[in-house]
Amino acid sequence: MHNKVELYKQRDFSQVFADSVAFIKRNFKGLLRSLVVIVAPLYVISSVMMSMFSINVIDAASQSDTYYGSNRQNVLFDTIFGWNFIIAMLLAFVTIVLAISVVFGYIKLYGENKQEITPADVWQEIRNRAARLFFFLLGYMFVLFIGFFLISLVLTLFLAALVIIPIIGPIIIVCVFFIFMLASVTFITILLPVVYYENDGFFESIGRVVRLLRGNFWQTMAVTFVSAVAVQLLASIVYQALLQGIEVLKTGAEQVNVNTVKTILIVYFTVTPIVLFFGYLFQFSASGFAYFGLIEKLEYIGLRKKVEAINEIIDIKPEEQY
């Protein structure tokens, strides 16, 4: 491979993105092939479930006038938070975990100097690690939920003492939750590759992330923020296209046909993940290369390998000494 991107290399903010882009450019076809073979079938099922869920919500909303009082609220609640919603969210979560695993697995095989990486190679690499990543993420989400609840409780008690200063209360709430969410997302940026590449337990992985982020938190937060903004920009473009489509249909008509809205939503839930694929590919690659950069800063794995390679080259064999 020419101009191979090193995994174990200390990286600053710009180098994380430069190496991520270089890796994607040189492996785009292989990555795309692996994602299509491994993730696409589940993605299709997930898109169908999301479309069915959206159609059910539209039907319930359009027929809500036939219900009265609490019956209307119960029907809408059951439709929104029924089995369709649960299954759709679960499938979407599994699809994202599988996509993350494919990207991380491909990076690992790439780092092992494998000349041609096939979807079968990637599947062999990720089939056990993906399940482990899935359950770790569920546990982390549970911990985040508990943290969110405790912060909400503390803020409620704190704000009760600030009744005399009502303007400060909302500002404090926004700032605290913004810092909490930003720190949580930054943490998970490194937790994902730690869980995938290492075989530690849950709390050991948490401690490992803390050690890696010590002295590197702000740079990692900047990487997380920029990559997340890239994904959100793509999502905003698709969402604005959806709104423009509805506005065009509303022009010259008093009311948009329900079936037309359903069609637009089906297209939206089909196209959006495809567009976001490019953003997520960039985001997950940046997460992986940020992780390897932090590992190199802490353990100098890449430097040691280079020293060992130099020693092997200049080492004189015993029979050559005389």
Side-chain angles (χ1 to χ4, degrees):
M1 291 184 184
H2 300 288
N3 299 322
K4 180 178 173 61
V5 180
E6 294 183 62
L7 295 189
Y8 293 101
K9 182 180 77 173
Q10 295 190 33
R11 295 178 172 89
D12 58 23
F13 172 79
S14 61
Q15 289 174 324
V16 170
F17 293 122
D19 286 348
S20 299
V21 172
F23 167 76
I24 293 172
K25 286 176 62 178
R26 293 163 193 169
N27 299 275
F28 184 76
K29 290 182 179 179
L31 276 167
L32 183 60
R33 192 183 306 117
S34 298
L35 285 165
V36 168
V37 172
I38 298 173
V39 183
L42 192 60
Y43 155 73
V44 172
I45 299 174
S46 177
S47 297
V48 170
M49 292 301 300
M50 287 299 297
S51 299
M52 291 175 59
F53 165 70
S54 302
I55 291 172
N56 289 337
V57 171
I58 293 173
D59 288 338
S62 62
Q63 298 172 8
S64 61
D65 293 339
T66 61
Y67 302 97
Y68 300 93
S70 60
N71 288 334
R72 176 187 299 180
Q73 297 175 357
N74 291 337
V75 169
L76 290 175
F77 183 86
D78 292 340
T79 302
I80 295 174
F81 298 103
W83 284 108
N84 279 345
F85 173 79
I86 296 174
I87 295 174
M89 291 297 102
L90 181 61
L91 285 174
F93 183 67
V94 174
T95 302
I96 291 175
V97 170
L98 204 55
I100 295 172
S101 300
V102 168
V103 175
F104 286 167
Y106 202 100
I107 291 175
K108 183 174 183 291
L109 293 173
Y110 175 81
E112 294 173 355
N113 296 318
K114 192 172 181 61
Q115 294 299 318
E116 185 177 353
I117 303 173
T118 66
D121 296 327
V122 177
W123 174 249
Q124 187 70 22
E125 161 65 26
I126 74 169
R127 60 180 184 175
N128 295 324
R129 297 174 185 266
R132 184 170 180 269
L133 186 61
F134 173 81
F135 289 110
F136 260 81
L137 283 180
L138 283 182
Y140 184 71
M141 290 172 63
F142 177 76
V143 171
L144 282 184
F145 175 79
I146 297 298
F148 186 84
F149 173 78
L150 291 176
I151 289 177
S152 301
L153 180 62
V154 171
L155 284 178
T156 300
L157 297 175
F158 179 71
L159 293 177
L162 293 177
V163 176
I164 56 174
I165 317 177
I167 298 179
I168 295 180
I171 297 176
I172 293 176
I173 291 178
V174 171
C175 292
V176 170
F177 279 114
F178 178 78
I179 293 172
F180 175 74
M181 293 308 298
L182 194 57
S184 300
V185 175
T186 301
F187 195 86
I188 202 172
T189 297
I190 303 303
L191 179 64
L192 288 173
V194 164
V195 172
Y196 182 86
Y197 292 116
E198 304 180 17
N199 293 316
D200 296 330
F202 183 81
F203 294 104
E204 289 81 1
S205 297
I206 298 293
R208 174 72 160 168
V209 176
V210 171
R211 290 192 297 274
L212 289 174
L213 288 178
R214 188 176 294 131
N216 301 287
F217 178 82
W218 296 109
Q219 176 181 313
T220 307
M221 184 181 70
V223 169
T224 303
F225 181 77
V226 172
S227 58
V229 167
V231 174
Q232 290 304 313
L233 284 175
L234 289 175
S236 299
I237 292 172
V238 178
Y239 181 70
Q240 289 300 321
L242 171 69
L243 293 181
Q244 290 299 318
I246 295 177
E247 288 298 325
V248 169
L249 291 173
K250 288 172 64 177
T251 304
E254 296 181 358
Q255 186 175 0
V256 180
N257 186 275
V258 173
N259 292 328
T260 304
V261 175
K262 291 179 182 179
T263 303
I264 292 176
L265 285 175
I266 290 173
V267 173
Y268 174 74
F269 283 115
T270 303
V271 173
T272 300
I274 297 176
V275 175
L276 291 181
F277 155 77
F278 298 99
Y280 286 135
L281 183 57
F282 174 71
Q283 188 175 28
F284 300 151
S285 298
S287 174
F289 282 100
Y291 161 79
F292 284 112
L294 295 178
I295 290 292
E296 181 63 18
K297 284 184 179 181
L298 186 66
E299 300 176 356
Y300 302 103
I301 294 177
L303 180 61
R304 291 207 305 268
K305 287 182 178 180
K306 290 179 181 179
V307 171
E308 290 173 1
I310 293 173
N311 289 336
E312 290 179 0
I313 294 174
I314 66 175
D315 185 36
I316 302 175
K317 297 179 181 180
E319 60 270 17
E320 296 176 348
Q321 293 180 0
Y322 304 98

